[in-house]
Amino acid sequence: MFSGLSPQPADGLLRLIVLHRDDPRPGKIDLGVGIYRDDDGATPVLKAVKAAEHILLETQESKSYLGADGDVGFVQLLEPIIFGAEMAGSSRLGGVQTPGGTGALRLAAELVAQSRPGARIWTGTPTWPNHAPIFAGAGLEILTHPFFDAETQRIEFGAMMNALESAEPGDVVLVHGSSHNPTGAELDEGQAEALAELCARRGLVPLIDLAYQGLGRGLEEDAGLARRLLAACDEALLAYSCDKNFGLYRERVGALWVQGQTADATQIARDNMLVVARGIWSMPPDHGAAIVRVILERPELVALWHAELDEMRDRISRLREKLAESHPLFAGAARQTGMFALLPFSPEAVTELREMHGIYMAGNGRINIAGLTEENIERFVEAAAPLLRVYA
Ligand SMILES: Cc1ncc(COP(=O)(O)O)c(C=O)c1O
């Protein structure tokens, strides 16, 4: 049975975790894995999450099955945060809970594949490396358009729009809602408007991947692009993750929404999502979504969550500013948002930084800004700046 399988390389980031763990040097710096870290390099459970877990422990009376749509209250309570008060609860929005943002993206891809045999999806270059296997796994054809040039630290907007002008009606366009992974680059107002206009004019279907709401500019601000695209286009999908903005990573908390042309079309699409979900994971895991629901049901826990989210975002912004000020070569960091930056390091430079300086980052030169601290940032700049390839 299994002799036909070919050996697979170890996952790059997981390999980095092991290398970093086994590195005895005291000043080592971990900018690899994409999780939030505080000044001590820790990723603590949020206080709001702990409080919600206490409440669940005291009050949850059953672990019996929910349904394929998961925790319906969780989905409803997220709607005003993501879509805004006006759109929340609309009959043209159909949402279901999923195992993380990854599950939401996979479910979206499966729904598209079922709706339209031979469906195609456009992704920017670069994008989160998991996008391609998720979409290909569902049988979608993947097309790419330019998005970001690491050497100039600029979005290649003209080239991106040119490529998308050649998209066919019904093609899906993947759009990072905020805090782009791996680049941190964001469309400005005019660019967002132009993209929405193009999608609407050419009948393209946006699939918005919103995995970092609140960690970029703010909860409202980070939803702006998604809302603009949903307003402009008849049909759209939105894959959401609570794993970063609630610090729930391993609990696998996410949701997928479809926006249909009419209430009936939305209902049918949502019913199909449930059928697909039943065939993959049957039901999403409950605990993380229940935590988010318990928080969002209680104003005092919402306030606590907001404060903790603000603290995470402010820390990232401070580090971005500091990095940008520390050297002209890092000036792009101040324009970008969220945890990531993509720096023009050659693979050899990435290896040299790791081996000579104990600085760990992804092989493509992506750094997790949250892995920097007020203390180690200077050492990072001193070691890294001479190794950057070409500069804006
Ligand atoms: C752009 C992007 N989308 C989706 C995800 C998936 O998030 P989750 O951990 O909730 O599956 C990630 C996680 O790193 C991401 O960076």
Side-chain angles (χ1 to χ4, degrees):
M1 171 66 78
F2 305 120
S3 56
L5 296 176
S6 42
Q8 298 292 322
D11 179 273
L13 280 177
L14 297 186
R15 209 180 60 116
L16 265 195
I17 294 178
V18 175
L19 285 176
H20 179 262
R21 191 194 58 204
D22 296 343
D23 186 340
R25 287 173 286 185
K28 60 188 177 181
I29 303 177
D30 182 7
L31 308 178
V33 180
I35 49 171
Y36 177 78
R37 291 180 195 282
D38 64 16
D39 274 330
D40 301 321
T43 308
V45 180
L46 298 191
K47 292 191 189 77
V49 166
K50 278 277 185 209
E53 285 187 308
H54 278 295
I55 292 170
L56 279 174
L57 192 64
E58 296 300 323
T59 60
Q60 196 174 47
E61 284 179 348
S62 173
K63 294 279 187 193
S64 77
Y65 291 122
L66 289 174
D69 46 0
D71 188 322
V72 177
F74 156 82
V75 173
Q76 284 170 352
L77 286 161
L78 280 173
E79 286 191 3
I81 298 171
I82 302 169
F83 303 102
E86 257 177 50
M87 186 67 186
S90 158
S91 57
R92 283 185 58 219
L93 276 181
V96 302
Q97 189 204 323
T98 58
T102 305
L105 289 164
R106 180 59 186 250
L107 186 56
E110 295 284 349
L111 184 73
V112 168
Q114 292 220 346
S115 312
R116 174 181 269 263
R120 315 188 315 166
I121 184 163
W122 291 82
T123 64
T125 308
T127 191
W128 183 45
N130 229 11
H131 279 139
I134 290 171
F135 300 142
L140 301 187
E141 183 186 340
I142 300 170
L143 301 164
T144 58
H145 64 76
F147 177 69
F148 183 79
D149 180 353
E151 298 192 349
T152 60
Q153 291 288 300
R154 296 277 175 195
I155 292 179
E156 300 176 284
F157 190 67
M160 165 177 159
M161 294 295 275
N162 274 345
L164 289 178
E165 282 290 352
S166 72
E168 290 167 10
D171 280 357
V172 178
V173 181
L174 176 79
V175 180
H176 293 233
S178 66
S179 302
H180 187 275
N181 181 5
T183 70
E186 276 192 9
L187 301 183
D188 64 28
E189 286 275 310
Q191 292 170 334
E193 188 55 45
L195 177 64
E197 185 279 325
L198 186 151
C199 288
R201 175 167 46 81
R202 294 203 52 79
L204 313 181
V205 180
L207 164 52
I208 301 141
D209 181 359
L210 190 51
Y212 297 91
Q213 191 186 7
L215 287 165
R217 297 184 196 277
L219 278 172
E220 278 293 295
E221 293 85 343
D222 291 350
L225 177 58
R227 292 181 195 172
R228 196 187 287 263
L229 288 164
L230 289 162
C233 301
D234 287 341
E235 297 182 309
L237 291 147
L238 187 140
Y240 194 77
S241 174
C242 295
D243 290 326
K244 335 282 173 164
N245 55 5
F246 284 85
L248 283 166
Y249 308 90
R250 68 175 71 159
E251 298 291 357
R252 317 303 304 127
V253 195
L256 174 68
W257 280 266
V258 60
Q259 172 176 280
Q261 240 168 349
T262 62
D264 285 349
T266 305
Q267 185 63 46
I268 292 172
R270 186 176 183 277
D271 290 348
N272 275 270
M273 267 151 56
L274 296 181
V275 173
V276 175
R278 256 183 241 124
I280 313 181
W281 50 72
S282 178
M283 300 174 196
D286 175 65
H287 188 65
I291 291 170
V292 172
R293 175 176 48 73
V294 166
I295 293 174
L296 297 183
E297 281 169 346
R298 291 167 175 74
E300 70 283 7
L301 291 190
V302 171
L304 183 54
W305 170 55
H306 282 175
E308 294 186 281
L309 188 59
D310 289 351
E311 196 180 312
M312 290 194 269
R313 188 180 58 250
D314 290 348
R315 176 167 189 279
I316 296 168
S317 304
R318 267 200 317 279
L319 288 166
R320 280 194 169 281
E321 274 161 32
K322 198 147 190 198
L323 189 60
E325 282 162 13
S326 69
H327 201 288
L329 301 181
F330 294 117
R335 286 196 299 275
Q336 299 151 4
T337 63
M339 282 199 293
F340 304 115
L342 186 71
L343 302 174
F345 291 118
S346 65
E348 296 75 30
V350 171
T351 307
E352 183 175 333
L353 285 169
R354 187 173 66 240
E355 292 180 352
M356 308 291 290
H357 301 278
I359 296 172
Y360 289 74
M361 68 181 67
N364 60 356
R366 185 196 81 170
I367 62 165
N368 174 10
I369 303 258
L372 294 170
T373 64
E374 306 279 337
E375 273 165 35
N376 69 23
I377 195 162
E378 267 173 43
R379 206 165 71 67
F380 168 74
V381 172
E382 265 170 38
L387 296 178
L388 285 175
R389 261 192 308 212
V390 181
Y391 318 116

